[in-house]
Amino acid sequence: MNPLSTPSATPPTVMPLPGVAFIGGGQMARALIAGLVAAGQSVATIAVADVSAAARTALEHDFPGLYLTADPLLAAARAPVWVLAVKPQHMAAVAGELRPLALQHRPTVVSVAAGIRLEQLGEWLGEGVPVVRTMPNRPAFVGAGITGLYAAAVVPPPARAQAAALMQAVGATVWVDAEIQLDAVTAVSGSGPAYFFLLIESLAVAGMAVGLPEATARQLAIHTAYGAGLMARDTGIDAATLREQVTSKGGTTAAALAVFEAAAFRATVTAAVAAAARRSAELAADASAPPALR
Ligand SMILES: NC(=O)c1ccc[n+]([C@@H]2O[C@H](COP(=O)([O-])OP(=O)(O)OC[C@H]3O[C@@H](n4cnc5c(N)ncnc54)[C@H](OP(=O)(O)O)[C@@H]3O)[C@@H](O)[C@H]2O)c1
């Protein structure tokens, strides 16, 4: 079979979860709920607590049948899997409020909050509550995310499987071996969409500079990024080989790549990712995780 004919937008097959309570019903929760529902999870098994009436109304409109409340305890009491999806600065208060119930029921707790460490979550929720920390990225909003996951060794396989199934509703998942690697995940895939957006922007502007109308240049840049991403994902051929396959000696691609190499493109990417990883670690060191990380 031609590897390029591999279906690329098949709805994910996600293990049905016994019941999920989202604490915080904003953008990330909405993406996860949409993914779960698209994968066949019944809305009747999903509860959402959000203090914002506007957020609850919007969810009720888009997902009729969800259990909606302003009270985290009411939502959490209904489900064995909890997703902590509030902004990092609200996490201590929310987790503290849930603590008695967490200690009583020992649910699987999944945090999607950037920069909030397991040690902190453990302190707030109570010892022995299984917590999986995740780092999703923004393409999750279109079902094409990738999420890094980490849990301490004591977190049992069923809880890990539930966390992975949840995140697979919005894309791919990858486990890391050490919590500190989530800073690297943040630097590569968390911030990564912005790097590709920058390339798309630059390519479109460059296309205009060589004579294309703006709309045409933009469309070419977007679809080229999309196609290259699909090829890198679906052919099973590594990116270096794919690049070589479109680069004839003395040809147009070679001329362009020579300019990239001369401008230290690889070193620039390495330095940029290192800067993001450093910044992620700095922000994680601050329990209140200021807005720049969000
Ligand atoms: N968005 C992304 O691209 C992205 C990517 C990776 C990770 N994340 C993580 O996902 C988490 C959620 O981000 P988001 O973008 O979905 O944020 P969001 O859209 O602001 O959603 C959070 C929701 O939680 C509500 N909330 C605040 N305090 C609450 C409480 N005590 N109980 C119940 N609900 C409460 C907020 O209401 P108010 O607005 O009234 O405060 C808001 O509706 C963050 O921790 C972020 O780090 C997001």
Side-chain angles (χ1 to χ4, degrees):
M1 185 174 97
N2 176 355
L4 292 182
S5 67
T6 309
S8 53
T10 337
T13 312
V14 174
M15 172 182 96
L17 292 162
V20 191
F22 288 88
I23 313 303
Q27 297 186 82
M28 190 45 78
R30 165 178 293 275
L32 286 164
I33 294 165
L36 287 171
V37 171
Q41 180 90 24
S42 160
V43 282
T45 64
I46 303 173
V48 183
D50 199 299
V51 290
S52 155
R56 295 197 304 276
T57 305
L59 286 167
E60 189 168 29
H61 177 267
D62 291 350
F63 306 101
L66 279 186
Y67 176 85
L68 288 157
T69 173
D71 184 345
L73 286 169
L74 288 180
R78 298 173 69 92
V81 178
W82 299 357
V83 185
L84 305 184
V86 293
K87 292 281 193 200
Q89 70 268 29
H90 295 139
M91 197 56 88
V94 163
E97 194 179 343
L98 292 169
R99 182 187 176 95
L101 204 61
L103 288 169
Q104 196 185 336
H105 292 305
R106 312 236 168 231
T108 297
V109 179
V110 180
S111 169
V112 297
I116 302 289
R117 291 195 189 122
L118 284 177
E119 189 186 357
Q120 294 167 302
L121 289 164
E123 272 171 28
W124 298 330
L125 286 164
E127 207 179 315
V129 177
V131 184
V132 180
R133 199 181 141 192
T134 70
M135 186 59 212
N137 69 356
R138 204 159 263 247
F141 293 7
V142 294
I146 181 153
T147 299
L149 300 96
Y150 175 76
V154 292
V155 173
R160 291 167 183 270
Q162 286 174 332
L166 171 79
M167 302 317 295
Q168 279 159 14
V170 290
T173 53
V174 59
W175 287 91
V176 294
D177 299 331
E179 186 173 8
I180 198 165
Q181 290 177 343
L182 288 178
D183 291 325
V185 169
T186 302
V188 174
S189 58
S191 300
Y195 315 155
F196 287 94
F197 296 142
L198 176 64
L199 187 57
I200 290 171
E201 272 177 77
S202 310
L203 191 52
V205 170
M208 288 162 64
V210 291
L212 292 169
E214 184 179 353
T216 306
R218 197 180 312 128
Q219 200 181 357
L220 290 169
I222 291 169
H223 282 268
T224 302
Y226 178 68
L230 277 187
M231 284 192 79
R233 188 191 70 169
D234 291 350
T235 58
I237 303 171
D238 67 89
T241 306
L242 288 170
R243 175 178 48 74
E244 282 159 14
Q245 286 174 351
V246 291
T247 313
S248 328
K249 200 162 177 245
T252 58
T253 311
L257 291 178
V259 176
F260 279 126
E261 296 288 5
F265 182 76
R266 292 166 197 269
T268 303
V269 173
T270 302
V273 169
R278 267 197 314 276
R279 189 69 187 126
S280 177
E282 282 165 15
L283 292 171
D286 173 1
S288 60
L293 195 64
R294 287 170 240 136

